[in-house]
């Protein structure tokens, strides 16, 4: 049975990847049923269906139903750069996902404190974004997810 995703948004679109304004985002999460679940976590424009229809603008981590790959995505005006981080989700195991925007057009993804990928294209610098967390099961049995913490800080 299909289940609509559960969404959590921050209080508003309050983060902009602006020149000279570095930003750090980090979350510690886990999912039950790593293969049969989807998740999306990071910054994005306000959207109500980020799993099935990615937002036009964002910087986020994604895990798709049917695999355990944790992908890192930067999206600007519906054009994306998408890379597998090389780290897999595991059932009921916390993972730290973070990214750093250097204020000069580069975003580096970190998994468990280790730099994995740097994107310098498709970086959204013209739309404010909000913290977004979404999880969805991929089969007809209950799946669960947990968030230990979320933090996002930026030079103002």
């Amino acid at each position: 049975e299909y289940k609509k995703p559960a969404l959590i948004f921050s209080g508003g679109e309050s983060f902009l990847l602006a020149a000279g304004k570095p930003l750090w985002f980090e979350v510690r999460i886990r999912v039950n049923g790593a293969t049969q679940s989807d998740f999306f976590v990071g910054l994005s424009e306000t959207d109500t269906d980020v799993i099935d229809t990615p937002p036009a603008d964002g910087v986020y981590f994604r895990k798709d139903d049917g695999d355990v790959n944790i992908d890192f995505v930067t999206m600007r005006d519906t054009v994306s750069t998408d890379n597998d981080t090389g780290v897999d989700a595991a059932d009921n195991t916390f993972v730290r996902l973070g990214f750093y925007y250097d204020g000069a057009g580069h975003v580096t993804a970190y998994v468990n404190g280790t730099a994995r990928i740097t994107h310098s294209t498709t970086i959204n610098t013209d739309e404010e974004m909000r913290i977004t967390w979404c999880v969805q099961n991929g089969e007809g049995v209950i799946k669960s997810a947990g968030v230990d913490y979320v933090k996002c800080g930026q030079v103002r």
Side-chain angles (χ1 to χ4, degrees):
E1 174 181 323
Y2 174 75
K3 204 169 187 184
K4 278 304 264 182
L7 290 168
I8 298 174
F9 293 115
S10 66
E13 292 180 345
S14 53
F15 298 100
L16 178 65
L17 301 182
K21 306 289 184 182
L23 176 140
W24 175 254
F25 173 91
E26 186 174 278
V27 63
R28 185 171 181 257
I29 62 171
R30 67 167 176 76
V31 292
N32 166 326
T35 302
Q36 292 298 323
S37 62
D38 303 71
F39 72 72
F40 176 111
V41 62
L43 297 178
S44 74
E45 67 178 349
T46 301
D47 198 330
T48 58
D49 192 10
V50 294
I51 290 194
D52 293 328
T53 307
D57 298 293
V59 181
Y60 54 90
F61 293 90
R62 181 187 74 222
K63 199 221 64 76
D64 299 321
D65 178 34
D67 70 39
V68 292
N69 304 332
I70 299 174
D71 300 320
F72 179 66
V73 181
T74 53
M75 178 85 77
R76 180 178 180 153
D77 299 331
T78 70
V79 178
S80 70
T81 302
D82 186 336
N83 294 102
D84 184 344
T85 63
V87 177
D88 294 340
D91 289 348
N92 289 319
T93 302
F94 276 101
V95 62
R96 280 187 308 136
L97 304 173
F99 56 83
Y100 175 71
Y101 170 69
D102 65 1
H106 305 91
V107 181
T108 301
Y110 292 80
V111 179
N112 294 323
T114 301
R116 306 299 296 189
I117 300 159
T118 299
H119 289 184
S120 56
T121 59
T122 65
I123 308 298
N124 170 43
T125 57
D126 62 351
E127 297 289 336
E128 291 180 343
M129 298 175 288
R130 66 184 340 158
I131 295 171
T132 305
W133 159 247
C134 183
V135 64
Q136 174 177 287
N137 69 344
E139 60 184 347
V141 296
I142 294 172
K143 300 295 180 200
S144 63
V147 177
D148 185 29
Y149 64 84
V150 179
K151 58 185 174 182
C152 190
Q154 182 173 31
V155 172
R156 294 288 179 173

